[in-house]
């Protein structure tokens, strides 16, 4: 069941990151490579111009990136004991995010943004932390036998 849930998550994430027109993903319409290599520049820009773009755009940009990667950090340790290392989850979350950002840059669907790398990695870490807390509570309540 966990594997099926993870596959559905990856498909949904792929749709949102590469194909969803609701998030400004329109392949073929852009002819320039867009990127941001300055940490926290886009987050700061969204905050400074929140009056013009709206608070919802700020929260969607910041928390959407974090929330989008929480399932990655949570589901992987559930489906496989080999993925029970926090370091491995955070590193894998960073690598997945780096691949996504690179694909967005190369295909000109979106923007390579270092802020997204930071936020997505934080989301994977938060997902693992949520898993660790749930696993601790489960072990405390049910013991090691489950």
């Amino acid at each position: 069941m966990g594997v099926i849930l993870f596959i559905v998550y990856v498909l949904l994430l792929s749709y949102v990151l590469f194909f969803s027109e609701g998030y400004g993903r329109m392949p073929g319409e852009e002819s320039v490579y867009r990127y941001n290599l300055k940490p926290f520049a886009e987050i700061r820009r969204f905050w400074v111009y929140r009056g013009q773009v709206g608070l919802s755009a700020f929260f969607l940009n910041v928390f959407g990136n974090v929330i989008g990667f929480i399932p990655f950090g949570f589901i992987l340790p559930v489906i496989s004991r080999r993925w029970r290392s926090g370091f491995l989850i955070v590193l894998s979350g960073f690598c997945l995010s780096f691949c996504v950002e690179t694909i967005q840059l190369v295909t000109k669907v979106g923007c390579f943004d270092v802020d997204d790398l930071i936020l997505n990695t934080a989301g994977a870490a938060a997902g693992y932390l949520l898993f660790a807390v749930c696993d601790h509570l489960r072990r405390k309540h049910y013991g090691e036998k489950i």
Side-chain angles (χ1 to χ4, degrees):
M1 182 66 172
V3 173
I4 292 170
L5 186 61
F6 189 73
I7 290 169
V8 169
Y9 160 72
V10 168
L11 291 173
L12 184 61
L13 186 67
S14 298
Y15 172 76
V16 169
L17 292 174
F18 299 113
F19 304 109
S20 175
E21 292 177 6
Y23 297 104
R25 314 282 189 238
M26 291 183 235
E29 296 228 348
E30 297 182 28
S31 61
V32 296
Y33 295 105
R34 296 180 342 165
Y35 56 90
N36 166 41
L37 301 177
K38 185 177 177 186
F40 305 108
E42 282 298 301
I43 296 170
R44 190 176 306 114
R45 185 176 69 84
F46 269 92
W47 179 252
V48 169
Y49 294 106
R50 68 188 176 278
Q52 289 86 354
V53 298
L55 265 178
S56 61
F58 171 77
F59 282 108
L60 182 64
N61 183 300
V62 173
F63 296 108
N65 280 304
V66 173
I67 291 169
F69 273 70
I70 287 175
F72 180 84
F74 186 86
I75 298 172
L76 274 179
V78 169
I79 62 177
S80 175
R81 287 192 177 275
R82 286 184 276 176
W83 289 93
R84 299 254 168 119
S85 162
F87 176 76
L88 187 59
I89 291 295
V90 171
L91 181 63
S92 299
F94 175 82
C95 290
L96 175 62
S97 181
F98 186 79
C99 288
V100 164
E101 295 299 318
T102 302
I103 290 169
Q104 286 180 340
L105 176 69
V106 170
T107 61
K108 299 177 186 172
V109 178
C111 170
F112 183 99
D113 190 351
V114 72
D115 291 351
D116 289 350
L117 281 172
I118 294 166
L119 295 170
N120 294 344
T121 304
Y128 180 78
L129 184 62
L130 183 62
F131 163 79
V133 167
C134 291
D135 190 51
H136 174 74
L137 293 174
R138 179 192 61 84
R139 289 173 189 264
K140 186 176 178 180
H141 188 266
Y142 293 106
E144 292 287 328
K145 294 291 180 186
I146 266 188

